[in-house]
Amino acid sequence: MSEKLLEIKDLSVVYHTEDGEVYAVNHADLSINKGETLGLVGETGAGKTTTCLSIMRLLPEKLGEIISGDILLNGESIMSKSEAEMRSIRGNEVSMIFQDPMTSLNPVYTVGDQIAEVIQIHNPNYTKEQVEKRVDEMFLMVGLPAERKTEYPHQFSGGMKQRIVIAMALACEPNLILADEPTTALDVTIQAQVLQMMKDLKEKLNTAMILVTHDLGIVAQTCDSVAVMYAGEVIENGTVEDIFEGENHHPYTVGLFGSIPDLTSKSNRLHPIDGLMPDPSNLPKGCKFSPRCPHCKDICKEVEPPVIKNGTHMIRCHLYK
């Protein structure tokens, strides 16, 4: 039986802004087993990045707040941990690859020093020689020559910067990596190289990964399970087979698949989902997807949809009640 590494239970996150409360994540449930990859998909503003920041306890101070729920790492809640305890977890047990490598690196320090800092913080007994040796190993692991560790971020291309950020995240061999759209800023060829490299490293180190992405093709190639988020809620969850080959799907998931070009059939136009993501400061009653749903009924506009489970597959929708 697979061992659960991370469990998110009934997580709700609010941002307190000058214009009011922004409900970024709403009663989200997720779990991931050791060594597995979970694909977290949905439109911009669905709450994917906020979920990852909540796991790291990196929500903006005095702005972002977890108002309900629990996050369990190896069966232990991180909600009550102090900032000092969280600093020992970040980078060591859980690492995050941020969305934009251009802004993730400090421009005034060499890339080697930035990776060395992660290693030194979590391995205070290491000598300078051991730290340097580990930095060299990380450069070689992500396919970069070790002699370039004395250079600065502006001397590297976008793909190389992303490799350095990945090296930094993997330096202490964490149990879980949160990859927030790690290939968004890269061209297609470099995307494929970076994804393959992450997949190889994950298998080599038996690291679990939450991959945040818009690209369902990447999910199909890389992930073991998939969670679809909409307006801060996980509206469908299951294995890759459940999502890509199952008969029943949430109308939003159907819409996501309809927005992808199909090379096997001839079509003049794609079929995008009508409308826009709802304003998170003024979410609709009942089902959050009801204003855009082609199957919307009166009950959808008033009553929260039930959770329908079939083995490993979960759908939150009135359609299958």
Side-chain angles (χ1 to χ4, degrees):
M1 187 177 172
S2 298
E3 195 177 345
K4 274 195 171 54
L5 174 65
L6 176 79
E7 267 189 284
I8 297 174
K9 298 179 178 179
D10 195 39
L11 180 70
S12 294
V13 180
V14 168
Y15 288 110
H16 306 288
T17 70
E18 292 179 357
D19 298 324
E21 311 288 278
V22 174
Y23 300 94
V25 178
N26 304 294
H27 307 290
D29 293 292
L30 281 175
S31 67
I32 183 169
N33 297 323
K34 290 185 176 178
E36 285 188 354
T37 301
L38 167 70
L40 197 55
V41 299
E43 290 170 282
T44 300
K48 307 183 297 296
T49 299
T50 298
T51 302
C52 291
L53 291 174
S54 301
I55 296 166
M56 296 287 283
R57 291 263 308 275
L58 284 175
L59 290 169
E61 198 175 347
K62 297 179 182 176
L63 182 67
E65 182 189 0
I66 297 172
I67 57 170
S68 75
D70 202 359
I71 300 170
L72 304 175
L73 188 63
N74 285 316
E76 194 177 337
S77 175
I78 66 165
M79 303 303 290
S80 57
K81 292 195 179 294
S82 66
E83 183 56 30
E85 288 174 314
M86 284 307 301
R87 276 200 297 270
S88 70
I89 290 172
R90 293 182 200 123
N92 196 30
E93 292 183 48
V94 184
S95 279
M96 189 162 176
I97 300 168
F98 292 95
Q99 195 163 351
D100 185 4
M102 319 298 174
T103 57
S104 301
L105 295 167
N106 192 320
V108 298
Y109 290 98
T110 65
V111 291
D113 283 346
Q114 293 183 59
I115 296 173
E117 183 183 20
V118 178
I119 298 162
Q120 285 168 333
I121 287 169
H122 296 294
N123 301 279
N125 298 325
Y126 272 26
T127 64
K128 191 176 180 181
E129 289 72 26
Q130 285 175 306
V131 172
E132 288 300 315
K133 185 184 176 188
R134 183 65 180 152
V135 171
D136 291 349
E137 286 172 2
M138 293 314 299
F139 263 78
L140 294 173
M141 188 184 278
V142 296
L144 292 174
E147 54 268 20
R148 294 200 65 182
K149 66 184 179 183
T150 56
E151 295 180 18
Y152 291 86
H154 72 270
Q155 294 174 276
F156 294 86
S157 68
M160 287 179 170
K161 283 195 189 86
Q162 191 63 283
R163 286 167 185 261
I164 291 160
V165 171
I166 291 167
M168 202 180 294
L170 292 170
C172 295
E173 298 188 4
N175 296 320
L176 174 64
I177 296 170
L178 309 175
D180 187 7
E181 300 189 33
T183 59
T184 299
L186 310 177
D187 64 62
V188 177
T189 311
I190 304 299
Q191 269 189 28
Q193 290 177 8
V194 168
L195 284 167
Q196 187 58 49
M197 182 193 70
M198 287 172 66
K199 194 175 178 181
D200 293 343
L201 293 175
K202 188 186 83 69
E203 289 169 1
K204 181 181 175 183
L205 304 172
N206 194 33
T207 302
M209 181 164 68
I210 294 179
L211 179 64
V212 175
T213 182
H214 296 280
D215 193 330
L216 288 166
I218 289 174
V219 170
Q221 290 178 328
T222 314
C223 299
D224 302 298
S225 55
V226 186
V228 181
M229 284 193 87
Y230 183 81
E233 293 182 345
V234 177
I235 55 166
E236 187 166 357
N237 198 350
T239 64
V240 169
E241 289 78 15
D242 290 333
I243 304 300
F244 283 83
E245 296 173 11
E247 289 182 18
N248 296 328
H249 293 296
H250 192 284
Y252 178 63
T253 310
V254 174
L256 290 178
F257 280 112
S259 303
I260 304 170
D262 185 356
L263 299 179
T264 61
S265 63
K266 189 174 181 181
S267 176
N268 292 327
R269 294 182 66 84
L270 296 177
H271 302 283
I273 305 167
D274 291 335
L276 297 170
M277 182 81 72
D279 180 356
S281 63
N282 184 26
L283 292 170
K285 279 179 69 180
C287 176
K288 308 293 186 291
F289 187 62
S290 59
R292 305 172 70 186
C293 181
H295 305 285
C296 180
K297 304 172 186 174
D298 289 340
I299 190 173
C300 302
K301 298 174 184 177
E302 298 296 329
V303 182
E304 288 274 342
V307 172
I308 311 297
K309 287 190 175 180
N310 181 13
T312 54
H313 194 190
M314 181 280 285
I315 301 176
R316 193 186 292 265
C317 186
H318 287 289
L319 198 60
Y320 303 106
K321 185 169 64 172

